[in-house]
Amino acid sequence: MHSVTPWLAVIGIGENGLDGLNSAALRLIAGAELLVGGDRHLDKIPASLATGERLRWAKPFDAAIQALLSRRGMPVAVLASGDPMEYGVGATLARHVPPEEMIVLPQPGAFSQAAATLGWPLQELKRLTVHGRPMDRVALHLAPGQRLLILSENGDTPQALARWLHDRDWGLSTITVLEHLGGPEARMFTACASDFPDRRFADLNTIAVQCSPATPARILPRLAGLPDGTFHHDGQLTKRVVRAATLASLAPMPGELLWDVGAGCGSIGIEWMRGAEGAAAIAIERSADRCRLIALNAAELGVPDLAIIEGQAAEHLDGLPPPDAIFIGGGLESALVETLWDLLKPGGRLVANAVTVEGEAVLFATHARFGGELTRIALSHAENLASHHLWRSSVPVTQLATHKPTQARRA
C-alpha cells in the first residue's frame, strides 16, 4: 500500500505573523499553488514569500470550500487563526478531506493564550464560541464559580454578552476582554457584567467570564429532573420524577441523537441535550403553540440548537438522520411505533410513556413484539388539609423501555 502525500496544509498563524511560523510552515506557504485565508491572515504573507494564487474566504463559505477542494492533489495552503482544529477551519476541512491528505501545523490558540495570560488552568475551564452560534448556548454552562473562555463574533460581542448576563441575573460575573492575543497590540480590559461600558472592542478578541449569580438567578444542574416550573408549558409536560426516570431509561450519551415524538413543551429533548456533551435532539410536535414553547425553553435552558419539527410525526420522518434513541410522549399508536422501530438504529433505545388504557394497550402489544421492561410509576404528594396533611395521588404512568437488537434475532 502506497503512502499518500498530503496536498493540503492548514497552518495556524498568530498575531505575530511570520515571526511565529517555523521553517516547515514557511516552506509549505512558499510552495503552495493556492494560498487561502481571510484578509487579516493573507495580509501577513508578503508576495515575495508566496507567489501562488490567493483565495480569500467569502460568503457563502461552502462555495470557497468547494473551490479549494477542486484543487485536490495540488499544493494548497490554508491560513487559520492559532489552532485550526479548535473551532477553526481545520475542523471544517477535516469533514471533507481524509486525514492522510492533510497536514495541520497549529499555533497556540486563543484559549491557550488567554489561559496563560490569566493564569487559569485549561483543564478547569469551559471553552465555548459564539462566533456564528447563538449566545444562548452559554446558558448551559452558567454555574457559580465556573470559568468560561468564549471566542467572540466581533467587537460588539463583549458588550452584548454583558447585557445577556445581566438580563439573566448573572450580572455580578466578571468579564475580561483580551484583544489581539500574542501580538504587539495585545491588551486586556476587565469589568463587572452589570457595569460593563458601552464600547466596542477589536474584532479579534477572546472573552473570559468568572460566573457569579445575583440573588434571583436560576442555578440549574445538568442532571435530569429539572423542576417543573423551569419550563414554559400548557400542561403538556412530563413531570419531574417521571422525566428523570424516562431520561434514565433513554440513557443519553455524548454525540447521540434523540427523536422526541409528541414533544409537548420539549422537556425530554432539552434535558437529553443538557445531560450529554454534543448530544442532539429533534422535537416533533403537531401544535404550533407548543413548538413556540419548545423554542423558548430550549433557548432559555442553553440548548438553542434543538431542532423543532411542527406537524404529525408520521408525515415528517423521511430524510431525518437515524436516531440513537426515541421517546414517544404523545400520539401513541401501534402503526407509529412500528415505523419508529424500523427507523431506530440497531442497538438503539425506544422509551414510551402512557397514561390512558388505550395507550397502555399499545405498550403491552409493543412489549409482546419487541420485549423490554414495563414499569408503572405511581406518585403521591403531600398536601395540606387544615392542620393536617394527606397524600394526593397523581395519574399513574406506564413506561416501556426497550432496546433494538444490534443484529436480527435468531429463530
Side-chain angles (χ1 to χ4, degrees):
M1 182 176 180
H2 298 289
S3 62
V4 176
T5 301
W7 59 272
L8 175 63
V10 186
I11 300 168
I13 186 169
E15 282 294 282
N16 54 354
L18 295 182
D19 292 340
L21 298 179
N22 59 30
S23 59
L26 293 172
R27 283 181 176 276
L28 289 167
I29 291 172
E33 294 186 16
L34 177 67
L35 185 64
V36 185
D39 291 341
R40 181 171 58 85
H41 299 134
L42 291 174
D43 290 347
K44 294 181 182 294
I45 308 300
S48 58
L49 173 64
T51 58
E53 180 185 352
R54 298 191 176 205
L55 173 65
R56 296 178 184 269
W57 293 123
K59 296 182 179 179
F61 190 69
D62 287 346
I65 293 288
Q66 292 307 313
L68 182 155
L69 294 176
S70 69
R71 307 295 184 93
R72 178 176 251 116
M74 303 170 63
V76 176
V78 174
L79 303 176
S81 296
D83 186 344
M85 302 305 291
E86 192 168 50
Y87 291 115
V89 70
T92 301
L93 290 170
R95 293 194 287 268
H96 300 275
V97 179
E100 62 270 18
E101 297 183 25
M102 181 172 153
I103 183 171
V104 179
L105 300 179
Q107 292 272 354
F111 292 143
S112 295
Q113 294 190 63
T117 301
L118 296 168
W120 288 6
L122 268 175
Q123 71 272 13
E124 298 175 7
L125 311 177
K126 185 61 188 178
R127 288 164 275 179
L128 309 168
T129 181
V130 294
H131 184 81
R133 294 169 173 84
M135 191 170 291
D136 287 325
R137 279 183 166 195
V138 178
L140 183 62
H141 307 286
L142 296 177
Q146 175 71 67
R147 291 172 170 178
L148 310 176
L149 290 180
I150 304 172
L151 299 180
S152 280
E153 175 78 27
N154 53 42
D156 294 321
T157 304
Q159 187 189 41
L161 178 64
R163 289 196 302 267
W164 185 92
L165 288 167
H166 173 77
D167 291 345
R168 285 155 182 79
D169 298 316
W170 288 82
L172 297 180
S173 302
T174 301
I175 295 178
T176 299
V177 185
L178 302 107
E179 303 172 277
H180 296 295
L181 280 166
E185 298 179 25
R187 56 184 180 265
M188 185 168 63
F189 174 85
T190 300
C192 181
S194 291
D195 300 325
F196 207 79
D198 183 10
R199 59 165 287 190
R200 196 176 199 281
F201 294 83
D203 283 334
L204 184 64
N205 74 80
T206 303
I207 306 171
V209 180
Q210 177 86 44
C211 296
S212 182
T215 301
R218 290 195 304 180
I219 301 174
L220 301 175
R222 297 282 293 273
L223 294 176
L226 293 176
D228 294 344
T230 305
F231 299 93
H232 303 279
H233 63 90
D234 61 359
Q236 291 298 310
L237 169 70
T238 303
K239 298 301 190 291
R240 183 180 191 175
V241 175
V242 176
R243 189 179 342 117
T246 299
L247 284 153
S249 296
L250 287 168
M253 296 292 287
E256 288 191 328
L257 172 66
L258 169 75
W259 288 0
D260 184 0
V261 180
C265 72
S267 62
I268 295 293
I270 288 169
E271 292 219 50
W272 165 278
M273 293 180 67
R274 287 176 58 86
E277 291 294 330
I282 300 173
I284 306 173
E285 171 54 53
R286 64 183 180 182
S287 166
D289 290 338
R290 288 175 188 159
C291 285
R292 285 189 286 272
L293 292 176
I294 294 171
L296 180 61
N297 287 326
E300 288 188 357
L301 295 172
V303 289
D305 298 315
L306 172 68
I308 303 170
I309 296 176
E310 180 186 335
Q312 296 285 354
E315 300 172 1
H316 295 276
L317 301 178
D318 289 344
L320 294 182
D324 300 282
I326 296 174
F327 172 63
I328 310 174
L332 191 58
E333 298 176 352
S334 295
L336 176 62
V337 175
E338 185 84 21
T339 299
L340 292 171
W341 182 262
D342 289 342
L343 296 172
L344 181 64
K345 284 183 180 179
R349 291 89 69 198
L350 185 144
V351 177
N353 291 348
V355 296
T356 66
V357 172
E358 291 77 11
E360 282 190 344
V362 175
L363 295 188
F364 292 144
T366 304
H367 178 263
R369 288 203 61 193
F370 304 126
E373 184 175 277
L374 281 168
T375 305
R376 171 162 282 194
I377 306 170
L379 302 173
S380 297
H381 298 275
E383 293 186 1
N384 291 329
L385 179 63
S387 61
H388 298 81
H389 295 81
L390 58 78
W391 290 106
R392 184 76 67 187
S393 297
S394 302
V395 175
V397 176
T398 302
Q399 181 180 100
L400 171 66
T402 184
H403 284 69
K404 187 173 182 177
T406 53
Q407 57 186 9
R409 288 194 181 101
R410 294 180 180 179

